[in-house]
Amino acid sequence: MAATFRRRLRRGAASTAVAALVLAALTASQSPAGAKNTAAKEPEPTPADTPIDGGAAYYTDLPPLNSPVPPRGSNDPRPDGDGIVTGPAQAGIPATVLAAYKKAESEIRAADPGCRLPWQLLAGIGKVESGQARGGAVDAEGTTLQPILGPQLNGRGFARITDTDGGRYDGDRTHDRAVGPMQFIPSTWSQGGPAGTGWGADGNGDGKKDPNNVFDAALAAGTYLCAGGRNLSVQQDLDSAVLGYNHSEEYLRTVLSWFAFYRTGSYEVPDGKGVLPAHRDGANGTGDHPSGRTEGRTGHGHGRGTGDNHPRPDKTKPNGPAKPGGSGDGHTGSHTPGGDHTPGTPETPGTPQTPSGKPTPTPKPPTKPTTPTALQRVGDQDLTTTAGTDFTTKPQVRAADAAGKPVAGVPVRFTLPDTTDARFPGGATTTTVTTGKDGLATAPTLHAGDKTGDFTLRATAVGRTAPAVDIKATVKAKPAPKVDLLTRTSDKELTATAGHAFAEDAVEIKATYQGEIAAGVPITATMITDDPDHPVQNDKGPYFKDPQATGDNKDKPLRTLTGLTTDADGLLKLPKIYTDTHPGTFLLRLTTPNGTTLTLKLKVAAPPKTA
């Protein structure tokens, strides 16, 4: 049977700030003014350092010792992940839940490749928080068949968080509870986050953000774990991210144990057939059920009261909470996946365990990365592409130390300015990539929008003092459609009297190429002289007015008009044409970018003589 830590999370999940807030609230409630105004109190704001699950109870079962995937010989033809997988039942993950974890990993890899989020980490958290959505008790869309609720966060054993959602997510209008497969508290789901609208996400594309849906919850959890430019392949960032869920060293070790276990292999089981965990931490006085979680109206778990006679070693408390974007790792010491406990072996205080008689290897502390002193642009050519297409060259920089040697493990954030509609995958305006062994950080493919012109992309070393690098980029206009014929749609003679305008919409033309409609063709209209060899812009006769002009320039004659374009049917109606006091026959020439022209005659009659 899987082992359990014989420790209990009492108020360790609540930070010093939470404790101070609770004490202040209790003190105020005992004063006359506090008692008088109790009914009028507004809900207390959730402390900024409150963990994702509110520091609620969690499953403490550890994975078994044997690997889910048996070792293979060198002649085994199966590729990784193929074939029949055998092993302990704990390695089975319900199909829909597993699909949600993998989908979240894929989406975050595209939007934030520098995070390096493995789906097995989501599985480890999902196992500890909800037993993989209670063994996969979800419908076809990934929504839990019954609510999965944590204990009431009323300050008795856990943080005190008064209701923030009116019971919308947790059904509780007095205090918040952690909700769903990944156990988000309502305030975290709907507040804060990258856009300030909460960490909630729509992982299944149904237009809703539901913490009870495993696709939504898994994507939200992955987004949180990657916040602040974290690189989860770096142990310090990994520990910091997990501690953001629950500020407990025991919680961290339990999650990392399952993370390591799933990385050695796992397999898919039908929904509802997953193994349910049995043991839970922090069950004393924490909720409506001994388990500290409620699933519908049924409670499960291994609750231990205060009569437990097992010795309880002191906890290792984190130095401080891990928050998205924070620079600290939020705890002391270093960890390897699985922590300092051997999976499947009960913990006995003061007695180290050695499975199969083999000594447990001493974890090596993570190597402190070299500090980069510079970011260097790779390549000296500006990025160029056409509107609506991908840039063929990806933005790339190199991190180097003072000696010019490459520095690995540096998170580099690429940021687009507001002046462009170019975007990274997923419509992102920023992306963070970690440098490899060669010191290179390569941004994902950049897609140009419709807006043309120059802009500057900036690369910054996150949390480092190395100067930023600017990368210039240009978006060019799309090539104009080809035209081999311009024709007028009417053969009616174009006439007007001097001092008056031609009829509205008097000139309409059609553009074609090889007999087919030519839409979106730029046209330039110019009033020209009648010199057959060298026609130039005329300085008298018919003219246009600048539609953009204002004030005294509004009526100023304009004899070359640009910015005209044929519509979807290849048609173009020219703006109104005016005349001055000069009678005669004048010429209007229409020209396309590829040199196709059409010349029209405009006849201006002299005004009638007055008696």
Side-chain angles (χ1 to χ4, degrees):
M1 176 177 290
T4 177
F5 291 121
R6 298 191 178 278
R7 301 182 183 178
R8 178 171 301 132
L9 174 65
R10 293 184 182 275
R11 295 181 185 267
S15 66
T16 304
V18 178
L21 181 62
V22 173
L23 180 60
L26 291 174
T27 304
S29 67
Q30 294 171 2
S31 67
K36 185 177 181 179
N37 296 324
T38 299
K41 277 187 177 181
E42 293 292 328
E44 297 173 7
T46 304
D49 57 357
T50 301
I52 288 291
D53 67 359
Y58 57 88
Y59 289 110
T60 60
D61 300 54
L62 289 172
L65 287 174
N66 50 323
S67 170
V69 182
R72 305 176 190 166
S74 59
N75 295 325
D76 191 332
R78 292 176 296 159
D80 289 341
D82 292 342
I84 298 175
V85 180
T86 60
Q90 290 91 335
I93 301 178
T96 300
V97 178
L98 180 60
Y101 296 151
K102 291 185 175 181
K103 187 173 187 294
E105 178 199 54
S106 176
E107 290 191 22
I108 292 175
R109 184 192 299 121
D112 188 3
C115 176
R116 301 185 182 182
L117 170 74
W119 67 261
Q120 293 91 340
L121 179 58
L122 295 174
I125 292 174
K127 180 71 174 181
V128 171
E129 291 288 350
S130 70
Q132 310 298 19
R134 294 296 299 154
V138 297
D139 61 20
E141 302 301 321
T143 302
T144 57
L145 300 180
Q146 293 180 317
I148 301 177
L149 301 175
Q152 189 181 66
L153 299 176
N154 54 16
R156 296 194 292 272
F158 303 104
R160 181 175 184 269
I161 304 177
T162 55
D163 178 58
T164 63
D165 67 332
R168 175 185 177 187
Y169 296 119
D170 57 11
D172 192 326
R173 296 193 176 188
T174 58
H175 294 85
D176 275 352
R177 297 171 181 255
V179 180
M182 303 303 280
Q183 290 290 281
F184 276 82
I185 55 175
S187 58
T188 306
W189 185 263
S190 58
Q191 299 171 20
T197 57
W199 291 97
D202 179 13
N204 61 354
D206 64 355
K208 298 182 293 184
K209 299 177 181 180
D210 183 2
N212 296 294
N213 182 277
V214 69
F215 287 96
D216 293 359
L219 181 58
T223 302
Y224 172 80
L225 293 169
C226 290
R230 289 190 184 111
N231 174 6
L232 299 182
S233 66
V234 175
Q235 191 69 44
Q236 178 176 324
D237 284 0
L238 174 63
D239 292 354
S240 175
V242 175
L243 285 169
Y245 244 88
N246 191 309
H247 301 159
S248 162
E249 292 285 333
E250 294 174 5
Y251 178 88
L252 173 66
R253 286 190 287 268
T254 307
V255 168
L256 294 186
S257 293
W258 284 105
F259 173 41
F261 178 70
Y262 287 133
R263 292 193 77 169
T264 63
S266 62
Y267 58 94
E268 179 183 300
V269 298
D271 289 343
K273 300 297 182 181
V275 174
L276 296 177
H279 305 133
R280 186 185 302 281
D281 186 41
N284 183 34
T286 59
D288 298 337
H289 301 278
S291 67
R293 288 276 193 275
T294 59
E295 290 82 18
R297 304 185 65 83
T298 304
H300 299 277
H302 182 72
R304 296 190 301 276
T306 56
D308 188 352
N309 294 322
H310 293 284
R312 304 182 187 279
D314 291 337
K315 288 185 178 180
T316 302
K317 295 183 179 180
N319 286 336
K323 295 181 286 185
S327 59
D329 63 357
H331 69 287
T332 59
S334 60
H335 302 272
T336 55
D340 55 5
H341 297 282
T342 304
T345 305
E347 177 191 350
T348 302
T351 306
Q353 301 293 321
T354 56
S356 305
K358 297 180 180 179
T360 302
T362 302
K364 294 181 180 180
T367 302
K368 185 177 180 180
T370 305
T371 301
T373 59
L375 286 182
Q376 302 164 347
R377 168 76 192 279
V378 177
D380 56 0
Q381 293 184 346
D382 294 344
L383 308 180
T384 303
T385 195
T386 303
T389 65
D390 292 338
F391 285 86
T392 55
T393 301
K394 297 179 180 179
Q396 188 179 59
V397 296
R398 177 178 180 268
D401 60 15
K405 295 181 179 180
V407 180
V410 178
V412 177
R413 180 176 295 120
F414 294 88
T415 304
L416 293 165
D418 295 336
T419 55
T420 180
D421 58 358
R423 293 293 183 266
F424 291 113
T429 57
T430 63
T431 185
T432 303
V433 181
T434 303
T435 58
K437 293 181 179 179
D438 53 5
L440 295 178
T442 305
T445 300
L446 184 61
H447 182 80
D450 295 328
K451 192 172 184 178
T452 60
D454 300 331
F455 66 90
T456 300
L457 170 70
R458 173 157 290 190
T460 309
V462 180
R464 275 70 170 183
T465 57
V469 170
D470 288 339
I471 303 172
K472 294 185 181 297
T474 301
V475 178
K476 297 180 179 179
K478 295 179 181 179
K482 292 183 178 180
V483 179
D484 58 12
L485 182 63
L486 291 176
T487 57
R488 188 173 167 227
T489 59
S490 172
D491 58 3
K492 185 178 180 180
E493 188 175 47
L494 298 171
T495 61
T497 301
H500 297 274
F502 286 83
E504 293 279 356
D505 301 330
V507 180
E508 182 183 60
I509 61 170
K510 182 176 183 180
T512 58
Y513 180 69
Q514 295 182 352
E516 299 293 329
I517 290 172
V521 179
I523 302 288
T524 299
T526 307
M527 302 295 177
I528 62 172
T529 61
D530 59 359
D531 186 338
D533 297 324
H534 302 287
V536 295
Q537 178 179 295
N538 212 332
D539 60 359
K540 60 182 179 181
Y543 62 91
F544 301 103
K545 289 183 180 180
D546 187 352
Q548 305 298 325
T550 58
D552 294 340
N553 293 324
K554 187 169 61 174
D555 295 325
K556 185 177 180 180
L558 184 68
R559 291 189 168 88
T560 296
L561 189 61
T562 59
L564 305 171
T565 307
T566 59
D567 63 16
D569 296 320
L571 299 175
L572 170 65
K573 290 182 179 180
L574 294 188
K576 193 172 184 178
I577 301 174
Y578 301 87
T579 68
D580 57 15
T581 59
H582 296 87
T585 299
F586 300 89
L587 300 179
L588 167 62
R589 175 163 291 179
L590 305 168
T591 308
T592 69
N594 67 330
T596 301
T597 62
L598 172 64
T599 302
L600 303 176
K601 289 184 178 181
L602 304 178
K603 294 184 177 181
V604 180
K609 294 181 180 181
T610 57

